[in-house]
């Protein structure tokens, strides 16, 4: 059955791509939009966790390239954002274990708290992201980020919301 958007006479022309080409194009556009939205935020997060901007940029590029190679699978998951965030976090953890001192402020957070909780603190209190934005980036529920921040603020009162975030 011909596509309603393409008349039968143009089905083989470049103006009317096959359904497979349209699907690939849509997936590519989706990936491109995902990267444009998240790359700057990923760079901020990795820069907060790693000692050099070059290490941060290299790691983000590698994580996004891996996501591109698995994009169809990622889209089939309940939370594509969580899939990519999980891979990025694993890469950061591996690199940070080799290069970041636990004596640093951010390194100490990851010594004290589990990854999700520490990520919530870094994104919201250090980088100044809102709860909804941090949750979207991590593929988490805003309530989970709120709970993480409450736990962290009880353990470290200097993280209170009244304290301005540092970039």
């Amino acid at each position: 059955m011909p596509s309603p958007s393409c008349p039968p006479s143009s089905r083989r022309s470049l103006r009317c791509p096959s359904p497979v080409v349209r699907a690939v194009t849509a997936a590519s556009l989706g990936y491109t939009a995902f990267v444009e939205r998240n790359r700057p935020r990923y760079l901020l997060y990795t820069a907060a966790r790693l000692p050099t901007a070059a290490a941060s940029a290299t790691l983000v590029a590698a994580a996004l390239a891996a996501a591109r190679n698995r994009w169809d699978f990622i889209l089939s998951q309940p939370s594509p954002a969580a899939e990519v965030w999980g891979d990025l976090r694993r890469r950061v953890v591996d690199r940070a274990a080799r290069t970041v001192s636990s004596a640093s402020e951010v390194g100490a957070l990851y010594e004290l708290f589990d990854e999700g909780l520490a990520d919530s603190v870094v994104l919201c209190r250090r980088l100044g992201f809102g709860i909804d934005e941090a949750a979207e980036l991590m593929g988490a529920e805003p309530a989970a980020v709120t709970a993480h921040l409450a736990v962290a603020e009880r353990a470290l009162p200097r993280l209170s919301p009244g304290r301005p975030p540092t970039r």
Side-chain angles (χ1 to χ4, degrees):
M1 176 174 181
S3 169
S5 63
C6 294
S9 62
S10 66
R11 280 187 24 215
R12 289 192 177 93
S13 73
L14 292 176
R15 293 182 310 178
C16 187
S18 72
V20 172
V21 171
R22 283 193 302 270
V24 169
T25 302
S28 296
L29 289 174
Y31 171 77
T32 300
F34 181 87
V35 169
E36 286 180 14
R37 173 131 175 91
N38 292 306
R39 177 187 281 137
R41 300 184 303 176
Y42 288 168
L43 287 168
L44 288 171
Y45 168 75
T46 56
R49 298 227 27 214
L50 299 174
T52 67
S56 175
T58 299
L59 196 136
V60 169
L64 290 173
R68 177 67 188 110
N69 292 334
R70 300 176 40 229
W71 192 244
D72 288 337
F73 170 78
I74 289 169
L75 288 178
S76 72
Q77 299 307 298
S79 174
E83 277 295 313
V84 178
W85 183 259
D87 180 51
L88 179 68
R89 180 193 291 158
R90 283 186 292 279
R91 291 169 189 272
V92 169
V93 167
D94 181 52
R95 179 72 57 94
R98 293 181 277 138
T99 60
V100 175
S101 165
S102 62
S104 72
E105 183 180 321
V106 172
L109 284 172
Y110 288 88
E111 290 289 321
L112 284 171
F113 303 124
D114 71 38
E115 292 287 324
L117 194 150
D119 285 346
S120 295
V121 172
V122 167
L123 291 172
C124 294
R125 296 297 179 251
R126 184 167 179 88
L127 298 175
F129 291 2
I131 289 171
D132 290 341
E133 184 178 12
E136 174 198 332
L137 190 64
M138 295 188 294
E141 293 296 323
V145 174
T146 300
H148 287 156
L149 293 174
V151 168
E153 288 163 0
R154 278 193 298 275
L156 301 170
R158 65 187 174 86
L159 292 174
S160 67
R163 181 176 178 238
T166 57
R167 281 213 182 247

